[in-house]
């Protein structure tokens, strides 16, 4: 699993680096290559769509490969204080699942 940390400044830069539990640089390079080869949408593109459709502030983003496909896992803090966890297909931006924490 690769953690994507984003600055709340709205930067369009994609920052990818492994977390302490990651296997290492190979995963990091795999994510970079997927982006360069057009296998995944840029994070900024996905975030723009998510923020427009689900109304909330992004508080956490993770990038991972799940069952052979790349997935953005995005957590949003909504105006009512609830957190919504979205799994987005990184290849086409479609919603895989949505869970709202109570």
């Amino acid at each position: 699993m690769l953690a994507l940390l984003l600055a709340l400044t709205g930067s369009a830069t994609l920052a990818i680096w492994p977390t302490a539990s990651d296997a290492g640089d190979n995963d990091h390079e795999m994510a970079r290559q997927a982006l360069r080869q057009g296998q995944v949408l840029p994070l900024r593109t996905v975030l723009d769509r998510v923020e427009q459709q689900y109304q909330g502030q992004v508080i956490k983003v993770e990038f991972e490969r799940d069952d052979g496909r790349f997935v953005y896992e995005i957590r949003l803090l909504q105006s009512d204080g609830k957190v919504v966890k979205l799994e987005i297909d990184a290849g086409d931006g479609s919603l895989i699942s949505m869970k709202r924490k109570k």
Side-chain angles (χ1 to χ4, degrees), residues 6 33-34 44 62 64-65 73 99:
L6 32 126
Q33 286 180 355
R44 182 76 266 160
E62 292 180 3
E64 55 194 26
R65 189 165 187 134
E73 186 177 290
K99 296 177 186 171

Side-chain angles (χ1 to χ4, degrees), residues 35-54:
L35 181 62
R36 272 188 254 149
Q37 294 173 358
Q39 294 176 321
V40 299
L41 295 171
L43 177 59
R44 182 76 266 160
T45 300
V46 173
L47 291 179
D48 287 345
R49 291 179 187 176
V50 164
E51 289 171 344
Q52 185 177 36
Q53 292 176 351
Y54 300 99

Side-chain angles (χ1 to χ4, degrees), residues 21-91:
S21 65
D22 289 331
D25 293 334
N26 291 338
D27 289 342
H28 178 82
E29 187 56 31
M30 178 181 64
R32 285 175 169 258
Q33 286 180 355
L35 181 62
R36 272 188 254 149
Q37 294 173 358
Q39 294 176 321
V40 299
L41 295 171
L43 177 59
R44 182 76 266 160
T45 300
V46 173
L47 291 179
D48 287 345
R49 291 179 187 176
V50 164
E51 289 171 344
Q52 185 177 36
Q53 292 176 351
Y54 300 99
Q55 305 297 314
Q57 180 181 5
V58 174
I59 57 174
K60 184 176 181 181
V61 177
E62 292 180 3
F63 179 79
E64 55 194 26
R65 189 165 187 134
D66 189 17
D67 293 328
R69 73 174 160 188
F70 294 108
V71 175
Y72 287 114
E73 186 177 290
I74 301 170
R75 290 200 177 125
L76 294 174
L77 177 62
Q78 296 188 313
S79 60
D80 62 1
K82 304 282 185 184
V83 174
V84 174
K85 178 180 167 185
L86 304 170
E87 286 191 11
I88 305 290
D89 185 306

